């Protein structure tokens, strides 16, 4: 029996049970519900876990999968700026896309008594769920969502739908989608499904290919397929930059012979020639939202379990829209 079980039986969130155990602010009605479950189950909270929340440290842990990412860096900037303004310290842990390091970071940050953890997750495994239950430290997911966990995500499906419809309206017919594996639910599944559905609205389809988030890998993958297409919709701006380099190496003119788009709104899409059409996400605002949501949780306030950010298509020079 742990706080996840208590929360499920009582019909409340884990963070609410955590606040209850540590004397935080919850309504009397909710307190009575949890009281009843605790008495009926004979639940005895782990004293060490409780001690972690006994005193606020004004430190928030942030776990990121990689630091060489425009999206991660911009989101971190939004987090750190807001927390600093609220007199909190940001503790950043980089895991280099290593899930084991990510799990270890959850335990390590909790042991070091951070008040809360913002996790830039690429996937949620059983080991993640076990860690969440064990540490009893509030966790908010950034960039991914999972049922029963507070999450802040980009609106990947709707953004994909919009760019799919954008290409659907053009005369382009031989279209490829270059994405990443489905281990990344947001980019590998939701974003891709949106693109394919958007094209479908105009009776178009795209051949689906995979690469990694690395520009160099995207470039090499693109070289194998570009000759068969007049458009490539890329899952990220980094992948789009790799495709643009591959086109240059193969002497394929963009957008006269090949149209390219990305996702992210990276600054680099505006300094290459031609500039790349992209779906821009508000990463700094996402970071601020994540930080503000965590502080609200720590104050005993209710926040939505799922918060989706907005997006904007930035039309540039890399798509032949006629």
């Amino acid at each position: 029996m742990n706080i996840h079980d208590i929360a499920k039986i009582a019909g409340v969130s884990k963070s609410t049970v955590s606040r209850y155990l540590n004397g935080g602010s919850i309504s009397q009605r909710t307190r009575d519900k949890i009281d009843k479950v605790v008495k009926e189950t004979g639940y005895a909270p782990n004293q060490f876990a409780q001690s972690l929340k006994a005193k606020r440290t004004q430190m928030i842990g942030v776990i990121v999968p990689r630091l060489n990412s425009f999206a991660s860096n911009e989101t971190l900037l939004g987090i750190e700026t807001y927390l600093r303004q609220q007199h909190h310290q940001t503790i950043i842990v980089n895991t280099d896309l290593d899930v084991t390091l990510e799990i270890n970071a959850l335990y390590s940050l909790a042991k070091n008594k951070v008040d809360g953890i913002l996790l830039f997750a690429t996937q949620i495994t059983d080991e993640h769920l076990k860690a969440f239950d064990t540490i009893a430290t509030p966790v908010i997911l950034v960039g991914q969502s999972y049922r029963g966990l507070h999450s802040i995500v980009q609106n990947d499906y709707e953004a994909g739908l919009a760019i799919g419809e954008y290409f659907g309206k053009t005369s382009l017919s031989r279209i490829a989608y270059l994405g990443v594996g489905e281990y990344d639910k947001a980019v590998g599944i939701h974003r891709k499904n949106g693109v394919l559905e958007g094209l479908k609205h105009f009776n178009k389809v795209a051949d689906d290919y995979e690469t990694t988030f690395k520009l160099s890998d995207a470039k090499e993958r693109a070289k194998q397929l570009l000759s068969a297409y007049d458009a490539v919709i890329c899952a990220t701006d980094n992948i789009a930059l790799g495709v643009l380099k591959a086109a240059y190496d193969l002497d394929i003119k963009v957008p006269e012979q090949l149209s390219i788009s990305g996702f992210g709104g990276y600054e680099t899409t505006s300094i290459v020639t031609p500039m790349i059409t992209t779906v821009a996400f508000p990463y700094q605002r996402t970071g601020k939202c994540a930080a503000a949501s965590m502080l609200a949780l720590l104050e005993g306030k209710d926040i939505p379990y799922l918060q989706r950010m907005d997006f904007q298509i930035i039309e540039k020079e890399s798509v032949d829209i006629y």
Side-chain angles (χ1 to χ4, degrees), residues 62-67 92-106 109 119-122 128:
V62 183
I63 301 173
V64 296
R66 57 198 180 108
L67 290 175
I92 301 170
V93 180
N94 173 39
T95 62
D96 284 328
L97 294 169
D98 187 318
V99 174
T100 300
L101 291 178
E102 199 167 273
I103 302 299
N104 291 340
L106 287 166
L109 286 170
L119 172 61
F120 289 40
T122 55
H128 283 88

Side-chain angles (χ1 to χ4, degrees), residues 77-251:
L77 180 59
I79 290 171
E80 196 280 331
T81 300
Y82 183 82
L83 290 177
R84 177 163 34 85
Q85 291 170 346
Q86 304 303 314
H87 310 293
H88 283 65
Q89 184 177 359
T90 306
I91 308 298
I92 301 170
V93 180
N94 173 39
T95 62
D96 284 328
L97 294 169
D98 187 318
V99 174
T100 300
L101 291 178
E102 199 167 273
I103 302 299
N104 291 340
L106 287 166
Y107 289 109
S108 177
L109 286 170
K111 185 177 180 181
N112 282 282
K113 303 182 181 180
V114 296
D115 293 328
I117 298 172
L118 300 174
L119 172 61
F120 289 40
T122 55
Q123 57 183 312
I124 300 298
T125 67
D126 289 341
E127 289 300 310
H128 283 88
L129 298 177
K130 179 181 177 181
F132 299 153
D133 284 340
T134 302
I135 64 178
T137 301
V139 176
I140 294 179
L141 304 182
V142 181
Q144 301 286 347
S145 63
Y146 194 89
R147 182 172 52 86
L149 296 174
H150 289 100
S151 308
I152 298 170
V153 300
Q154 304 303 336
N155 202 343
D156 289 285
Y157 179 82
E158 293 296 332
L161 186 69
I163 200 69
E165 291 178 339
Y166 178 82
F167 273 81
K169 295 174 184 177
T170 70
S171 61
L172 301 165
S173 58
R174 298 179 300 144
I175 303 172
Y177 179 79
L178 187 54
V180 299
E182 294 189 351
Y183 63 87
D184 188 309
K185 188 167 64 172
V187 179
I189 298 178
H190 298 321
R191 198 172 291 181
K192 177 179 71 175
N193 288 347
V195 169
L196 299 181
E197 183 63 25
L199 289 169
K200 186 178 178 182
H201 290 175
F202 292 84
N203 298 313
K204 292 184 179 182
V205 297
D207 293 332
D208 180 19
Y209 298 93
E210 286 185 14
T211 182
T212 73
F213 287 99
K214 294 181 179 179
L215 188 155
S216 57
D217 290 341
K219 181 188 72 172
E220 294 307 316
R221 188 73 179 98
K223 284 183 177 180
Q224 302 168 12
L225 56 92
L226 288 190
S227 61
Y229 298 97
D230 53 24
V232 181
I233 303 174
C234 303
T236 72
D237 283 345
N238 222 34
I239 294 174
L241 289 165
V243 173
L244 181 65
K245 181 61 168 66
Y248 177 83
D249 290 348
L250 296 173
D251 199 26

Side-chain angles (χ1 to χ4, degrees), residues 18 21 64 69 173 186 191 197 217 240 242 260 262-263 283 289 308:
S18 181
L21 294 173
V64 296
S69 159
S173 58
R191 198 172 291 181
E197 183 63 25
D217 290 341
I260 303 170
F263 283 83
Y283 291 119
C289 178
R308 285 194 175 94

Side-chain angles (χ1 to χ4, degrees), residues 29 38 53 66 78 89 95 143 176 187 256 269 284 293 312:
R29 182 180 177 184
V38 168
K53 296 290 291 298
R66 57 198 180 108
Q89 184 177 359
T95 62
V187 179
E256 293 86 353
T269 61
Q284 286 192 36
S293 296
Q312 179 183 10

